[in-house]
């Protein structure tokens, strides 16, 4: 018998030990609680993460790690904003990068990091940087023939002659052949063209002669009358597909399509909901303008994290003291003798009230009697104490004191996109009868009775009772948040019989308003207070008012109910509106009947795509690799290359490709973007190569974003603020590459913006890695 008992005890101890938190995890958790109490968010996050590593299945630890990660990341973002307001760009950048590293889901940290890096570059630049333009605005790829004259010398021409002769003269100056439409009508015009480009000269003459021109080949132009039908017949068109990344519903896509039709008068435009894309066919100029509009509109919506704190307190107090004597007495009259008949002859009645008899009087009959409460007058003298009963009232002593309090705390968080409505429901769903109907009739259970029973069906709907919040945020560019709020706090306070159905009685307190708050500013919704105080005095008149003795002749009841609800809402912006200077730039769009764009004649303009990153085209890569040095500080280009340059993988295998720098001087930070074929390989992460850490093994801030769908990696490695740069040769970063499918892929750098410790650009020339997946 002892062995099973010992086994059971051991098993019980094992279960008890398994159900308790691990000692080390519990210690780390309490340490995190202490750090959280003093708002040391970094330490609290480390302690909570240690506790979670010790006990990975603990739900409470997981919740605390998730919450403190957001709070800690937002704390560093707020600190960075304060430093940014003081003009400390380097300190602000460090804080933003910490916030992004702690909470990668905080989009505002990423945006502020990028914006601060741009501000640092602009601050150190001797001249304001040129506004980047899209690749289509710099050069139309895959479009109609481009004009390639033999000479690009400025044209100086002043003459009055036939329009055909002037066109031909301009063509000879530039080394072009000019052909005319058969319907072109030449007229005499005056051309005064001082030091203009070839395109400007052709545009000016076309405006005077009411014609338009188009290149047929690189050295042949065609002149036709400027008529809508002629343009429709002659002008070349291109087809382009725009893939949108931030539309949520087909209605969002339809809104963009409608806007393009109205603004640019596009005729051939197809909306593809399944691919979240828009296909456009029109002239290259209209396609460029459509690209600018789509790029400006297709932005990720700002997002807000609403921290909702609901505190509900209820206090009930009841005091019932005193002795309540009875307030009524009853007197019952029960006579012993009944009323005797008044005739002298006839039947007699016994005392039991029944009797029959026959007499010789005026007639015969039968008389029946029952004892009653009436007494003949001649019997009043015989009434005694046995003929009535008196019931005196009793007394009830009460000594009741009740004091109860209820405290309910709810602390949810809601993440909402800008302009979208979020609903929070905390409570119960209470059924409420909304009506009833007679579905039919049926015959009663007893055959032949003819009873009709109506069949009644009652309908119910469910009402949300508790704390109900509907909120719609709107994020402003300057960082404020407008909230459209509907707050409804309700509860079931009783029941009422309506039509034979017990219906709940629901109390309601509702607030509906709009408020504008700063990011992180708390809005307290007070005033939802319900206080009830009732007093009752029940006792004998007069005696109930005598001090002290009134407690022996009365009951004194006092009841207090205090119900208060306080709701506090705090918005935190986790994604800012991504509106750039390029989005605010206006573009020349031609005339109402002739929509066109004008190319920048400056050949040094660097082509960028809509995200501000260089495209993966050879021309754009060459422009990024040959960034000129700042005036007065000439630099030789620094080389970047991958090691190994050729890698062979199998699908599923991984390898690390190092990015090395040679002959660097005062290298402080290096943001860069890589591109690859995502169908063949994937870049999983970027690792610290150790070169920027230097001999002191300084901590390096590495921020990275890997877009597996589009095959892009954006990574920034930077030394700590107020430290010198690094000189020499070494490995900057290591990229973990994974094989996906058989094929060949190139891992190439499409943009690099290296800076020294003075935030001056360092020109770099980069190579590429060839990766073969077997």
């Amino acid at each position: 018998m002892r062995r099973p008992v010992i086994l059971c005890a051991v098993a019980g101890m094992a279960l008890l030990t398994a159900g308790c938190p691990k000692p080390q995890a519990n210690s780390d958790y309490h340490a995190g609680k202490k750090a959280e109490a003093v708002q040391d968010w970094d330490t609290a996050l480390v302690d909570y993460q240690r506790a979670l590593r010790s006990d990975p299945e603990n739900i409470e630890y997981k919740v605390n790690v998730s919450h403190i990660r957001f709070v800690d990341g937002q704390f560093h973002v707020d600190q960075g904003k304060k430093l940014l307001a003081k003009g400390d760009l380097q300190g602000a950048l460090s804080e933003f990068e910490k916030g992004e590293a702690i909470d990668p889901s905080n989009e505002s940290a990423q945006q502020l990091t990028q914006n601060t890096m741009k501000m640092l570059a602009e601050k150190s630049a001797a001249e304001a940087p040129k506004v980047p333009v899209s690749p289509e605005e710099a050069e139309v790829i895959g479009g109609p023939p481009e004009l390639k004259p033999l000479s690009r010398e400025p044209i100086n021409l002043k003459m009055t002659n036939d329009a055909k002769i002037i066109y031909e003269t301009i063509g000879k100056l530039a080394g072009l052949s000019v052909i005319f439409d058969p319907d072109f009508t030449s007229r005499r015009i005056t051309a005064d063209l001082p030091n203009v480009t070839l395109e400007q000269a052709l545009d000016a003459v076309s405006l005077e002669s009411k014609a338009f021109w188009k290149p047929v080949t690189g050295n042949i132009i065609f002149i036709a009358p400027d008529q809508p039908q002629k343009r429709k017949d002659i002008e070349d068109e291109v087809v382009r597909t725009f893939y949108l990344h931030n539309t949520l519903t087909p209605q969002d896509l339809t809104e963009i399509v409608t806007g393009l039709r109205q603004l640019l008068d596009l005729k051939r435009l197809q909306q593809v909901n399944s691919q979240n894309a828009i296909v456009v066919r029109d002239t290259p100029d209209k396609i460029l303008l459509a690209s600018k509009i789509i790029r400006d509109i297709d932005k990720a919506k700002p997002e807000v994290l609403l921290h909702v704190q609901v505190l509900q307190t209820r206090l009930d107090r009841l005091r019932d003291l005193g002795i309540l004597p009875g307030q009524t007495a009853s007197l019952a009259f029960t006579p012993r003798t009944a009323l005797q008949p008044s005739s002298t002859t006839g039947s007699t009645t016994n005392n039991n009230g029944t009797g029959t008899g026959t007499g010789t009087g005026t007639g015969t009959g039968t008389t029946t009697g029952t004892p009653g409460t009436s007494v003949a007058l001649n019997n009043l003298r015989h009434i005694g104490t046995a003929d009535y009963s008196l019931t005196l009232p009793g007394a009830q002593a009460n000594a009741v004191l009740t004091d109860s309090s209820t405290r309910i705390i709810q602390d949810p968080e809601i993440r909402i996109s800008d302009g979208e409505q979020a609903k929070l429901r905390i409570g119960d769903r209470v059924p409420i009868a909304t009506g009833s109907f007679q579905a039919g009739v049926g015959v009663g259970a007893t055959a032949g009775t003819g009873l009709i029973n109506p069949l009644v069906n009652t309908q119910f709907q469910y009402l949300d009772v508790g704390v109900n919040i509907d909120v719609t945020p709107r994020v402003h560019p300057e960082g404020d948040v407008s909230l459209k709020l509907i707050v409804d706090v309700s509860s079931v306070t009783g029941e009422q019989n309506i039509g034979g159905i017990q219906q709940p009685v629901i109390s309601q307190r509702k607030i509906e308003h709009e408020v504008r708050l700063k990011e992180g500013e708390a809005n307290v919704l007070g005033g939802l207070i319900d206080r009830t105080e009732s007093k009752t005095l029940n006792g004998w008149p007069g005696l109930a008012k005598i001090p002290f003795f009134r407690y022996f002749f009365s009951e004194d009841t006092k009841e207090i109910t205090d119900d208060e609800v306080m709701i506090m809402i705090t918005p935190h912006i986790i994604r800012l509106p991504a509106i750039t200077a390029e989005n605010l730039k206006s573009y020349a769009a031609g005339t109402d009947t002739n929509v066109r764009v004008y190319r920048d004649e400056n050949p040094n303009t660097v082509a960028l795509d809509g995200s501000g990153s260089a495209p993966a085209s050879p021309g754009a890569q060459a422009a990024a690799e040959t960034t000129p040095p700042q005036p007065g500080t000439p630099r030789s280009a620094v080389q970047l290359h991958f090691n190994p340059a050729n890698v062979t993988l199998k699908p599923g295998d991984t390898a690390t490709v190092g990015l090395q720098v040679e002959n660097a001087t005062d290298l402080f930070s290096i943001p860069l973007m890589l591109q690859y074929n995502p169908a063949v390989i994937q870049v999983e992460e970027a690792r610290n190569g150790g070169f920027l850490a230097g001999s002191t093994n300084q901590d390096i801030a590495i921020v990275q974003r890997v877009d597996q769908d589009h095959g892009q990696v954006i990574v920034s490695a930077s030394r700590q603020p107020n430290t010198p740069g690094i000189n020499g040769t070494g490995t900057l970063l290591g990229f973990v590459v994974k094989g996906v499918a058989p094929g060949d892929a190139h891992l190439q750098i499409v943009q690099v913006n290296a800076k020294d410790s003075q935030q001056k650009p360092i020109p770099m020339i980069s190579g590429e890695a060839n990766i073969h997946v077997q």
Side-chain angles (χ1 to χ4, degrees), residues 307-587:
H307 187 194
V308 183
Q309 294 173 296
V310 181
L311 175 62
Q312 183 174 1
T313 58
R314 182 181 178 91
L315 178 64
D316 294 318
R317 292 181 179 176
L318 174 63
R319 189 195 65 186
D320 189 357
L321 298 175
I323 299 176
L324 181 63
Q327 297 172 320
T328 59
S330 60
L331 178 63
F333 188 56
T334 55
R336 292 173 297 167
T337 58
L339 179 64
Q340 299 295 329
S342 57
S343 59
T344 57
T345 59
S347 63
T348 63
T349 303
N350 60 18
N351 288 335
N352 291 331
T354 60
T356 60
T358 304
T360 59
T362 57
T364 62
T366 302
T367 302
T368 302
T370 60
T373 59
S374 60
V375 179
L377 292 176
N378 56 358
N379 291 329
L380 289 177
R381 64 178 181 273
H382 301 294
I383 293 178
T385 56
D387 296 312
Y388 60 88
S389 63
L390 178 64
T391 303
L392 296 176
Q396 179 180 354
N398 294 319
V400 179
L401 182 62
T402 302
D403 191 349
S404 64
S405 62
T406 304
R407 189 165 181 255
I408 301 174
I409 299 177
Q410 293 151 348
D411 194 20
E413 292 179 346
I414 316 170
R415 183 167 179 167
I416 320 171
S417 295
D418 182 60
E420 302 294 330
Q421 186 185 49
K423 297 183 178 181
L424 177 65
R425 301 289 184 265
I426 303 175
D428 302 319
R429 292 178 61 83
V430 178
I432 298 176
T434 58
S436 60
F437 64 94
Q438 184 172 339
V441 296
V443 181
T446 305
T449 61
L451 297 178
I452 304 298
N453 294 327
L455 303 179
V456 179
N457 187 3
T458 303
Q459 298 173 330
F460 291 88
Q461 71 176 9
Y462 286 85
L463 182 67
D464 293 316
V465 175
V467 178
N468 304 319
I469 300 177
D470 295 347
V471 58
T472 303
R474 177 67 65 184
V475 180
H476 300 281
E478 60 271 19
D480 289 356
V481 181
S482 292
L483 300 176
K484 184 176 182 181
L485 286 166
I486 300 177
V487 181
D488 186 356
V489 181
S490 57
S491 61
V492 177
T493 57
E495 291 184 346
Q496 185 175 358
N497 190 302
I498 302 176
I501 300 176
Q502 291 294 115
Q503 294 278 57
V505 178
I506 299 174
S507 66
Q508 184 184 50
R509 284 156 289 179
K510 188 173 183 180
I511 296 176
E512 183 173 353
H513 73 146
E514 296 183 9
V515 63
R516 180 164 176 166
L517 304 172
K518 294 185 179 297
E519 197 275 337
E521 180 182 359
N523 180 36
V524 179
L525 303 178
L528 304 179
I529 302 173
D530 186 7
R531 293 177 178 172
T532 304
E533 182 175 347
S534 61
K535 296 181 179 179
T536 304
L537 182 62
N538 187 14
W540 286 8
L543 297 177
K545 298 292 186 178
I546 301 175
F548 180 73
F549 292 101
R550 64 189 180 94
Y551 292 107
F552 297 96
F553 300 98
S554 66
E555 179 186 22
D556 188 3
T557 304
K558 184 177 181 180
E559 184 175 3
I560 298 175
T561 302
D562 192 345
D563 190 0
E564 181 175 355
V565 178
M566 184 180 69
I567 300 175
M568 184 166 62
I569 297 180
T570 306
H572 298 282
I573 300 176
I574 57 178
R575 189 194 298 272
L576 295 168
I579 301 176
T580 64
E582 182 188 359
N583 302 137
L584 301 176
K585 180 183 177 182
S586 60
Y587 282 67

Side-chain angles (χ1 to χ4, degrees), residues 167-236:
Y167 273 120
E168 291 172 348
T169 302
I170 295 174
K172 291 177 181 179
L173 292 175
L176 299 175
S177 297
V178 183
I179 59 177
F180 296 91
D181 185 90
D183 296 330
F184 176 74
T185 302
S186 181
R187 66 183 68 186
R188 190 176 182 82
I189 62 174
T190 299
D192 188 359
L193 308 172
N195 197 28
V196 297
T197 64
L198 172 61
E199 288 80 3
Q200 291 172 345
L202 292 174
D203 289 342
V205 175
S206 298
L207 184 61
E208 287 190 84
S209 62
K210 298 187 182 301
F212 72 96
W213 65 275
K214 61 161 287 187
V216 179
T217 65
N219 57 359
I220 300 176
I221 61 173
F222 181 77
I223 310 299
D226 192 359
Q227 301 169 358
Q229 187 59 41
K230 280 293 182 182
R231 285 188 174 273
K232 186 176 181 180
D233 295 339
I234 295 175
E235 282 190 328
D236 292 312

Side-chain angles (χ1 to χ4, degrees), residues 264-339:
L264 302 178
D265 195 24
L266 298 178
K267 304 297 182 183
R268 299 175 180 87
L269 187 146
Q270 179 62 42
Q271 172 181 337
V272 185
N273 293 331
S274 60
Q275 298 296 325
N276 204 32
I278 300 174
V279 183
V280 185
R281 178 191 173 190
D282 217 300
T283 63
D285 288 351
K286 287 188 177 181
I287 294 294
L288 294 186
L289 291 174
S291 173
K292 189 261 190 305
I293 293 173
I294 292 176
R295 187 169 61 249
D296 293 345
I297 294 176
D298 187 23
K299 300 284 187 181
K301 287 187 176 182
E303 292 187 1
V304 178
L305 184 74
L306 283 184
H307 187 194
V308 183
Q309 294 173 296
V310 181
L311 175 62
Q312 183 174 1
T313 58
R314 182 181 178 91
L315 178 64
D316 294 318
R317 292 181 179 176
L318 174 63
R319 189 195 65 186
D320 189 357
L321 298 175
I323 299 176
L324 181 63
Q327 297 172 320
T328 59
S330 60
L331 178 63
F333 188 56
T334 55
R336 292 173 297 167
T337 58
L339 179 64

